[in-house]
Amino acid sequence: MLFRSWGHSSKLGYPHVYEGMTITQERADEIFLNDIKVFENKVKHYVNVPLNQNQFDALVSTVYNVSTKHFIEIIDKSELNKGVYDKVPAVLMEYDIAGGKELKGLTRRRKEEGVLFSTPVGKVTNNNTDVPKNPENNKPNTQNDVPVKRKRTP
């Protein structure tokens, strides 16, 4: 399978990727921002409990990298839709295998997604700038919740 930019493949739609294709960094970023909407919508569709921004971002990163089938398994195994948030990081760690082998890169990615999922919104910094602390810590129904618009259908 051919990929271009930030993991874009023709399966995600336009532009269709072909061998030898070149694009600018600016175009790659545009494609990524368009592609990521697909995965944000999957999180909104399959998760029916409130999420803070870190939880939402961690799950978008996960579904971007695993199949929808595996994403649904993660939600079900962790009991996230029953309001059980603390099982998610451990369940994510079960999805670090590709081609029958545990891959260090996937192990690192799942660990980072689990850490992000468990990190209170106010604790995350990405440029050494202090971010106001979230008084609700990592609990649902805070001002930082991402509204989930649709519930999972059977």
Side-chain angles (χ1 to χ4, degrees):
M1 179 180 293
L2 294 174
F3 293 94
R4 191 44 90 209
S5 78
W6 301 105
H8 176 81
S9 74
S10 295
K11 286 174 44 175
L12 290 171
Y14 184 81
H16 297 287
V17 180
Y18 56 89
E19 194 166 341
M21 179 181 185
T22 60
I23 57 174
T24 65
Q25 182 65 53
E26 182 180 356
R27 181 67 179 126
D29 293 344
E30 289 172 10
I31 293 167
F32 172 76
L33 291 175
N34 189 55
D35 287 351
I36 202 71
K37 291 175 189 173
V38 171
F39 302 101
E40 290 172 341
N41 287 333
K42 285 184 182 191
V43 172
K44 291 175 185 178
H45 178 75
Y46 291 107
V47 176
N48 62 22
V49 294
L51 299 171
N52 70 33
Q53 191 64 53
N54 289 341
Q55 293 165 331
F56 181 78
D57 292 348
L59 294 178
V60 170
S61 176
T62 302
V63 73
Y64 184 84
N65 188 246
V66 302
S67 67
T68 301
K69 174 187 170 194
H70 287 140
F71 181 65
I72 294 168
E73 286 176 8
I74 290 166
I75 294 166
D76 290 345
K77 284 182 180 182
S78 69
E79 299 179 323
L80 178 59
N81 281 337
K82 294 179 181 177
V84 180
Y85 292 78
D86 59 344
K87 289 184 182 180
V88 172
V91 173
L92 289 175
M93 294 306 298
E94 297 175 20
Y95 292 84
D96 64 347
I97 297 170
K101 293 182 178 182
E102 183 178 312
L103 300 179
K104 289 180 185 177
L106 286 179
T107 302
R108 183 178 61 247
R109 181 182 182 128
R110 295 291 99 82
K111 183 177 179 183
E112 290 172 357
E113 291 162 345
V115 167
L116 179 61
F117 187 90
S118 300
T119 302
V121 172
K123 298 274 186 185
V124 174
T125 62
N126 56 5
N127 60 3
N128 296 326
T129 305
D130 288 331
V131 177
K133 302 232 185 302
N134 178 349
E136 292 295 316
N137 222 344
N138 208 23
K139 296 179 182 174
N141 297 322
T142 71
Q143 62 184 359
N144 297 312
D145 285 349
V146 174
V148 178
K149 296 180 181 160
R150 296 181 354 201
K151 293 187 177 187
R152 180 176 168 199
T153 54

